[in-house]
Amino acid sequence: MTIERFENGPRFCRVHSHNSIVYLAGMTADDLSGDTTQQTRDVLAKIDSYLAKAGSDKSRILSATVWLRDIADFDKMNAAWDAWIDKSAMPVRATVEARLAGDGYRVEIMVTAAA
């Protein structure tokens, strides 16, 4: 059993791959000045980058969990998601409202994908 880790940190690994499955930690925007749509775009770009490092891409996403600071921003998040996602390869997805790590965070997304 081989586990490949990318960007190991002091508390968790950003990305790891095991048994042809890629696991991404929850991703947040680096620039918190944007609204929910902009932060979602930033997070999705980060997801693209990490999936590529692990030999995958968004067309291979199996599941996604989306946390929103305010569920009223659901349509704003979906505006970015719908423009980004591969419509022929829709993943299983859950979206919930959650108190995130700081007031500036509007969205966090975690995905699992096939390698």
Side-chain angles (χ1 to χ4, degrees):
M1 169 176 74
T2 301
I3 299 173
E4 189 173 8
R5 289 175 167 71
F6 305 85
E7 294 197 26
N8 243 355
R11 290 195 184 102
F12 63 91
C13 180
R14 286 259 182 217
V15 182
H16 76 260
S17 179
H18 163 69
N19 205 22
S20 298
I21 303 293
V22 178
Y23 301 88
L24 272 63
M27 301 288 162
T28 56
D30 293 327
D31 178 3
L32 302 183
S33 65
D35 68 358
T36 300
T37 302
Q38 185 56 50
Q39 284 194 27
T40 302
R41 284 187 194 116
D42 291 350
V43 171
L44 297 174
K46 194 182 279 189
I47 288 171
D48 278 334
S49 173
Y50 283 117
L51 287 174
K53 282 184 182 184
S56 188
D57 63 62
K58 65 186 170 191
S59 73
R60 301 185 55 78
I61 294 176
L62 302 170
S63 67
T65 304
V66 180
W67 294 276
L68 290 173
R69 173 167 287 286
D70 185 347
I71 201 68
D73 289 342
F74 188 71
D75 289 339
K76 291 178 183 178
M77 178 274 300
N78 275 329
W81 176 273
D82 291 346
W84 174 79
I85 196 65
D86 181 341
K87 302 287 192 277
S88 68
M90 289 293 211
V92 172
R93 191 185 95 179
T95 304
V96 297
E97 182 177 85
R99 214 159 89 193
L100 300 177
D103 291 341
Y105 292 99
R106 308 304 307 158
V107 62
E108 182 171 349
I109 302 174
M110 182 170 64
V111 302
T112 303

